Amino acid sequence: MDQSTIQIELKENGVAVWTLNHPPSNTIHDELLEDLQKCIEDVSSRPEVRVIVIRSAHPKIFWLEWISK
């Protein structure tokens, strides 16, 4: 299950890898928050997932920036 801003990969060893992909800087905004919520709900129903790794699709960017309205 992929969201528009997050790619999800489920590994056989109980690891879920979430790759954030919202250029240019992975800023947190409504769409990304909604996608994160959907991912959390999805992984909560999967007892085989023991670890979530969150990474960036952009090699030089990882930090999540919060922009308040």
Side-chain angles (χ1 to χ4, degrees):
M1 175 187 92
D2 286 351
Q3 302 300 323
S4 61
T5 60
I6 303 171
Q7 177 188 7
I8 299 170
E9 182 181 358
L10 299 174
K11 304 281 189 174
E12 291 181 20
N13 57 359
V15 176
V17 179
W18 297 355
T19 303
L20 306 182
N21 188 17
H22 184 259
S25 61
N26 284 338
T27 54
I28 293 180
H29 59 90
D30 291 342
E31 184 181 9
L32 181 58
L33 287 174
E34 289 173 11
D35 286 351
L36 282 169
Q37 181 64 38
K38 290 174 187 173
C39 289
I40 290 167
E41 290 170 1
D42 178 62
V43 80
S44 295
S45 67
R46 297 175 182 265
E48 69 275 14
V49 175
R50 298 176 54 182
V51 175
I52 300 169
V53 176
I54 301 174
R55 64 186 205 137
S56 174
H58 310 286
K60 294 185 179 183
I61 299 172
F62 178 76
W63 186 253
L64 298 174
E65 181 181 334
W66 176 263
I67 297 179
S68 179
K69 290 184 180 180

